[in-house]
Amino acid sequence: MNRNQSQGTICVQGGWQPKNGEPRVLPIYQSTTFKYETSEQMGRLFDLEENGYFYTRLANPTNDAVAAKICALEGGVAAMLTSSGQAANMYAVLNICSAGDHVVSAATIYGGTSNLFTVTLKRFGIECTLVDPDASEEELSKAFQPNTRAVFGETIANPALVVLDIEKFARLAHSHGVPLIVDNTFATPINCRPFEWGADIVTHSTTKYMDGHAMCVGGCIVDSGNFDWEAHRDKYPGLTTPDESYHGVVYTEKFGKGAYITKATAQLMRDMGSIQSPQNAFLLNVGLETLHLRMPRHCDNAKQVAGYLKAREDVDWVCYPGLEGDKYFELAGKYMPVGTCGVISFGLKGGRKAAARFMDRLKLAAIVTHVADARTSVLHPASHTHRQLNDEQLREAGVDPSMIRLSVGIEDVNDIIGDLEQALKE
């Protein structure tokens, strides 16, 4: 694939380059298994001596083509699709962490990811310290421990819309000899490429803007190939010492810059199996073909809607990093100069009661447990996605109990504003 191609061209044609007489459109390889002529051929695949397909739980041609497209969009060296964004974040951490290890994470992240890190992975023996992403480097350094193995954050936090200072977190991570993992779901590689700012691994919930049409759940992990695992080999024995489940292969020695994704595929996907179905990967690819067209419309619509809400007296506050005057406007301009995302957070002066009344009166926008697709939708995080958190935990995550999360779609912006206006009327 030509790395010099524009993002728009990669969106449309990346990942799948048909040869003479092959389908122009990426095929759906809807098969669990793949045939070989000899037992020896199959054996070489199981020994990681050759590349190829033998069981879709580990790899599938449709999935690999879509992963290659996302990899090219992010500027990485290798990528792997997963069954969901949650699975992507879980695998990204478990690929380099085990019982007794520690992770530092920004506190202002998606509630499900926060619960994954602080509750579920804790049962695996992996501890997590949540930190204020706006804290000074000196203060953040105090969170690191001798057993810290990764740092995690979201480019634009869901739903707090805190913009991560990627360079600051990359410096911190690297000064402690660990990689920075960034969830780039809201910005997408159209608006931000975290690798260019020092991030080492990027994750996505492809369910959101990449799919763009709320058709299929999925996730992706992309490796930059830039983190030197061998330089910190004692911290990452899973990558730098023999894997006895694959005849003693040492991933960093055998696969070089592809070590991280190869291990995630050959080991974690083999054992836990959170693979994205080929059908979902096909639908994801259809969404990716228009990602570069949809994101500017989402951002333009959201900026106009945020300005409208900010001007209303019955709106208590508005958070949108693409709006001048927002706390993160300058940081967003640095990392996302062409736009941020289509998601707005705001609160009404009437609090939770007013939020419920407002949402129930919406006609064009729908109340759904989803965000970041072509249709405008709305959610009350404290009552829905972050329901498991108490008010103190909500505020720690950057979620005001009165917060309304509005995902602005690509409809005509006048119709979106009209719907908001009628719902806000007394």
Side-chain angles (χ1 to χ4, degrees):
M1 187 179 300
N2 185 352
R3 294 280 177 170
N4 295 320
Q5 288 180 337
S6 69
Q7 295 288 77
T9 300
I10 294 171
C11 280
V12 177
Q13 295 208 24
W16 172 247
Q17 285 82 44
K19 299 180 180 66
N20 188 46
E22 290 186 333
R24 185 70 180 87
V25 174
L26 173 67
I28 305 172
Y29 287 86
Q30 195 63 48
S31 179
T32 61
T33 51
F34 301 84
K35 176 183 178 293
Y36 288 87
E37 297 296 330
T38 70
S39 175
E40 183 182 352
Q41 285 179 297
M42 182 71 79
R44 287 199 295 269
L45 296 173
F46 273 96
D47 284 344
L48 304 181
E49 293 295 335
E50 289 185 11
N51 293 323
Y53 302 98
F54 53 93
Y55 198 57
T56 283
R57 189 177 77 233
L58 282 94
N60 177 282
T62 306
N63 292 30
D64 280 2
V66 181
K69 175 178 285 191
I70 297 172
C71 185
L73 287 170
E74 286 288 7
V77 299
M80 177 182 78
L81 296 188
T82 61
S83 59
S84 67
Q86 281 290 90
N89 286 333
M90 181 180 72
Y91 279 25
V93 172
L94 287 182
N95 202 34
I96 51 176
C97 294
S98 57
D101 289 339
H102 174 254
V103 175
V104 174
S105 173
T108 50
I109 57 174
Y110 169 57
T113 308
S114 179
N115 194 76
L116 168 67
F117 289 172
T118 61
V119 178
T120 302
L121 289 187
K122 188 174 183 179
R123 298 188 184 120
F124 286 37
I126 299 170
E127 297 289 336
C128 178
T129 299
L130 298 177
V131 297
D132 178 359
D134 294 334
S136 67
E137 291 189 43
E138 182 181 6
E139 188 65 27
L140 290 169
S141 288
K142 296 176 183 177
F144 286 79
Q145 301 174 12
N147 60 337
T148 301
R149 296 294 179 264
V151 179
F152 182 90
E154 294 177 356
T155 311
I156 306 174
N158 175 16
L161 302 183
V162 172
V163 175
L164 187 73
D165 190 339
I166 302 171
E167 281 193 316
K168 178 177 76 173
F169 271 77
R171 279 196 305 270
L172 277 163
H174 297 159
S175 69
H176 290 85
V178 302
L180 172 62
I181 303 170
V182 173
D183 185 327
N184 198 30
T185 295
F186 268 16
T188 81
I190 300 303
N191 289 344
C192 182
R193 302 218 305 178
F195 294 154
E196 295 176 356
W197 301 100
D200 301 289
I201 296 155
V202 160
T203 62
H204 285 278
S205 170
T206 62
T207 316
K208 309 304 190 298
Y209 287 120
M210 284 188 166
D211 168 349
H213 303 86
M215 292 189 296
C216 53
V217 174
C220 186
I221 308 172
V222 187
D223 182 21
S224 68
N226 293 333
F227 191 80
D228 191 345
W229 307 105
E230 280 289 338
H232 307 283
R233 59 181 298 110
D234 291 344
K235 293 182 178 180
Y236 305 104
L239 284 161
T240 62
T241 62
D243 179 359
E244 297 308 326
S245 69
Y246 272 112
H247 309 290
V249 66
V250 177
Y251 293 100
T252 51
E253 292 178 2
K254 189 173 182 65
F255 300 103
K257 288 183 177 292
Y260 178 87
I261 292 296
T262 300
K263 177 180 179 292
T265 303
Q267 192 183 84
L268 296 184
M269 196 62 80
R270 174 197 64 190
D271 294 343
M272 291 187 280
S274 298
I275 191 71
Q276 188 169 144
S277 75
Q279 178 73 52
N280 277 15
F282 174 84
L283 293 171
L284 167 59
N285 190 57
V286 174
L288 285 167
E289 289 181 355
T290 58
L291 181 64
H292 63 299
L293 302 176
R294 290 183 285 105
M295 288 307 296
R297 177 65 174 245
H298 279 293
C299 294
D300 184 58
N301 279 1
K303 186 174 181 178
Q304 292 185 63
V305 170
Y308 164 78
L309 290 170
K310 191 173 183 179
R312 290 191 62 100
E313 291 187 1
D314 48 359
V315 175
D316 190 27
W317 56 271
V318 177
C319 178
Y320 182 65
L323 188 65
E324 192 168 358
D326 186 88
K327 178 180 179 181
Y328 297 100
F329 180 74
E330 289 187 9
L331 205 58
K334 172 183 176 179
Y335 293 119
M336 292 159 276
V338 301
T340 54
C341 65
V343 182
I344 300 168
S345 292
F346 68 100
L348 300 178
K349 289 183 177 177
R352 286 192 187 219
K353 187 175 180 180
R357 176 180 175 276
F358 161 74
M359 292 194 299
D360 289 349
R361 294 182 63 173
L362 289 167
K363 297 176 181 178
L364 182 148
I367 301 172
V368 296
T369 310
H370 191 52
V371 66
D373 75 63
R375 293 164 289 271
T376 298
S377 60
V378 69
L379 194 77
H380 183 237
S383 300
H384 304 140
T385 55
H386 290 60
R387 194 179 182 90
Q388 74 273 22
L389 304 180
N390 59 39
D391 281 3
E392 182 181 346
Q393 291 171 322
L394 283 168
R395 291 189 177 92
E396 186 180 56
V399 180
D400 188 286
S402 69
M403 177 190 288
I404 296 168
R405 184 184 72 182
L406 179 67
S407 178
V408 180
I410 58 174
E411 305 95 341
D412 188 292
V413 70
N414 294 312
D415 291 334
I416 298 171
I417 291 174
D419 189 39
L420 300 178
E421 188 164 12
Q422 65 83 24
L424 288 165
K425 283 182 179 177
E426 292 297 330

